[in-house]
Amino acid sequence: RVPMGPLSLLLALSLLFPRGSAGWSCPPRCVCASNLLSCSQANLSAVPATLPRFTAVLDLSHNNVTRLRADWAPARLPHLHALLLSHNGLAFVSTEAFTHVPRLRHLDLSSNRLRTLDENLFSDLGELEVLLLYNNEISTVDRTAFENLGRLRKLYLGQNRIARFPLELLREGTRLPQLALLDLSANRLRAVPAGELQALPAWLRDRLYLHNNPLACDCLLFQLLDRGHRRHLSAVVDFQDELRCFLPGAPASIKILALAGQQPLNCSKAQEAVLEAHLGDSVTLGCDSRWQGVRSRHWVTPSGERVLGDGGNGSVVLLANGSLQLRALRPEDAGTYACSVAGPLLNETLYVELLVHNFTLHGPHDTLNTAYTTLVGCILSVVLVLIYLYLTPCRCCCCRGTEKPPAPRDDSINSSVLSTTPNHAGGTGEPCGSHIASGAGTGQNGRFKGGGTPPLPTRQGPKAQRKVSDPDSVSSVFSDTPIVV
């Protein structure tokens, strides 16, 4: 008999969660496939209220969801890692909208009507890796909008109305430490500080998209992009026609890469040198500017640290002549160093690419010599083994001349199937005569006994009789196969 308590509990659960209710059935006008939930182009004005907890990908694109409130997901969705909300006319996103989706890694808010990125808007998304915000109406970006996004790798802000982006957030390297791509194309940027761009980490500086902006022409910006063009960076090479700027008083824009020698700026191409060193070395990076009467000079290290004219301490020291001295090199010291010089007419930037080999000056050569010696020794060993196997002359079958009587032998187990290989019987033209053990010399299982030597076969003809192999003269299985000459 089943107690009444469990029966009443099951009845209550069936009333609360009928068949096909929340958490178990696919929401209306949506398509569910395993843990994927697609409600795209379903003419929805709000997020479905019944979302399964196991949902991993939620596609709500191409709908009419104009507001994303804090309660759009009343229950926690611990497995959701991709949320697609593009093409919705979305104009408002609550700062608590992502509280219930902490595992989100891909967020698509593109092609909407967002105007501002408020403070701490994405602070609950600590595992977010890709954020798409392009094709909106964003004009204001709060400095704290990207707080706690320690894993963000790609940020797309193209086709908006941004007039100033806080690049200092990137230079500090604490708020977005893993950011590897930043798209600021097709915005309203009129000036970008080239010094701050140069101070960005190399992996981000090489994937910073600035095309289709009304930039003001600047020699530092030209030198930065010219250097990227020579390095075949896709952010520069693929959009070199869209990288344009405006000269003072000019009504039309010109290509930034065409500023070399053009009045009134008369920009010079960036000078770049390559210097190689080893671990523990001390090197001096020269800053040989062509300008006379330099007013100021400073260096920017690959990590973004500025070394000013008052000198430095530790392993980085600015010398009196403007050179930068690096002591006790480490692997992390490798990279591009920029020397910015303020001249009487215009500024100039010189770049030095420092390559630090991951070994000391004397240690690697000994290591390489040892490696080469070992490799040559192995090759010679293989060659000698092959010569021994295939080019060693036959001791008996291929010998010509006067026969010698077989060496005396005593009964032992030296002659075995491993130490002799019987020759096949052949005709008159065989190079070696065949030796077949007679019945008297045959032991158990047809093997040859060690008690005697088989008789030598006689041959007729003018040629001398050839000898058969003496089993006792064979010392290994590799030398018992005769070689026909």
Side-chain angles (χ1 to χ4, degrees), residues 67-394:
R67 302 178 68 85
L68 192 65
R69 302 181 180 274
D71 58 351
W72 71 271
R76 187 179 179 88
L77 300 176
H79 304 289
L80 188 67
H81 63 78
L83 177 59
L84 312 179
L85 281 165
S86 62
H87 299 277
N88 267 281
L90 194 63
F92 170 78
V93 177
S94 171
T95 55
E96 301 178 356
F98 307 108
T99 304
H100 291 161
V101 288
R103 300 293 181 86
L104 207 62
R105 299 196 303 268
H106 184 101
L107 178 58
D108 187 358
L109 297 174
S110 62
S111 300
N112 282 294
R113 296 179 181 175
L114 298 176
R115 295 185 177 181
T116 60
L117 298 181
D118 297 327
E119 58 180 351
N120 299 313
L121 181 59
F122 307 107
S123 59
D124 293 323
L125 302 177
E127 299 185 11
L128 192 65
E129 297 178 2
V130 180
L131 178 57
L132 289 81
L133 291 165
Y134 63 87
N135 194 24
N136 274 279
E137 301 174 3
I138 300 173
S139 58
T140 304
V141 179
D142 191 89
R143 294 190 57 179
T144 63
F146 305 109
E147 287 284 350
N148 199 33
L149 297 185
R151 297 188 181 181
L152 189 65
R153 296 185 298 106
K154 299 180 180 180
L155 177 57
Y156 295 88
L157 285 166
Q159 300 183 42
N160 277 285
R161 302 175 182 177
I162 301 174
R164 182 188 179 277
F165 182 82
L167 290 175
E168 59 270 14
L169 303 181
L170 310 177
R171 187 184 68 248
E172 294 172 2
T174 56
R175 301 184 183 181
L176 300 174
Q178 297 189 23
L179 190 65
L181 185 149
L182 176 59
D183 180 15
L184 292 173
S185 62
N187 274 280
R188 298 180 179 179
L189 298 174
R190 295 187 178 275
V192 289
E196 293 186 7
L197 294 182
Q198 178 59 40
L200 295 178
W203 60 86
L204 175 57
R205 185 176 62 249
D206 295 344
R207 302 189 69 183
L208 176 63
Y209 295 86
L210 294 171
H211 55 277
N212 288 332
N213 274 286
L215 297 169
C217 294
D218 181 77
C219 286
L220 292 179
L221 179 61
F222 159 73
Q223 292 172 352
L224 185 66
L225 296 179
D226 178 65
R227 180 170 165 268
H229 185 268
R230 283 185 288 171
R231 293 192 171 200
H232 305 286
L233 302 182
S234 60
V236 179
V237 176
D238 296 344
F239 301 96
Q240 54 183 319
D241 293 334
E242 289 80 15
L243 283 167
R244 308 183 71 87
C245 64
F246 288 87
L247 287 169
S253 62
I254 63 172
K255 294 182 180 180
I256 298 180
L257 294 178
L259 284 177
Q262 192 170 121
Q263 297 296 332
L265 296 182
N266 192 23
C267 297
S268 60
K269 289 184 176 292
Q271 301 182 26
E272 184 173 7
V274 178
L275 182 63
E276 297 186 24
H278 302 83
L279 289 179
D281 290 351
S282 295
V283 297
T284 301
L285 310 183
C287 185
D288 187 15
S289 175
R290 60 189 177 91
W291 298 114
Q292 301 294 328
V294 175
R295 295 192 302 269
S296 64
R297 191 193 320 252
H298 71 272
W299 284 84
V300 179
T301 65
S303 62
E305 178 185 359
R306 294 169 64 92
V307 183
L308 301 175
D310 54 355
N313 49 37
S315 60
V316 182
V317 178
L318 183 63
L319 303 180
N321 60 355
S323 300
L324 188 69
Q325 187 179 65
L326 305 175
R327 303 169 182 172
L329 288 179
R330 303 165 298 172
E332 54 267 27
D333 292 330
T336 303
Y337 292 78
C339 177
S340 297
V341 179
L345 299 178
L346 54 85
N347 298 337
E348 185 178 22
T349 303
L350 294 87
Y351 299 96
V352 179
E353 181 77 14
L354 178 61
L355 305 177
V356 179
H357 297 290
N358 197 18
F359 47 78
T360 59
L361 180 59
H362 302 289
H365 302 290
D366 299 336
T367 304
L368 291 177
N369 289 337
T370 303
Y372 281 121
T373 303
T374 304
L375 179 61
V376 172
C378 292
I379 295 176
L380 289 177
S381 300
V382 173
V383 172
L384 291 176
V385 170
L386 294 177
I387 292 176
Y388 177 76
L389 292 178
Y390 297 104
L391 297 182
T392 303
C394 179

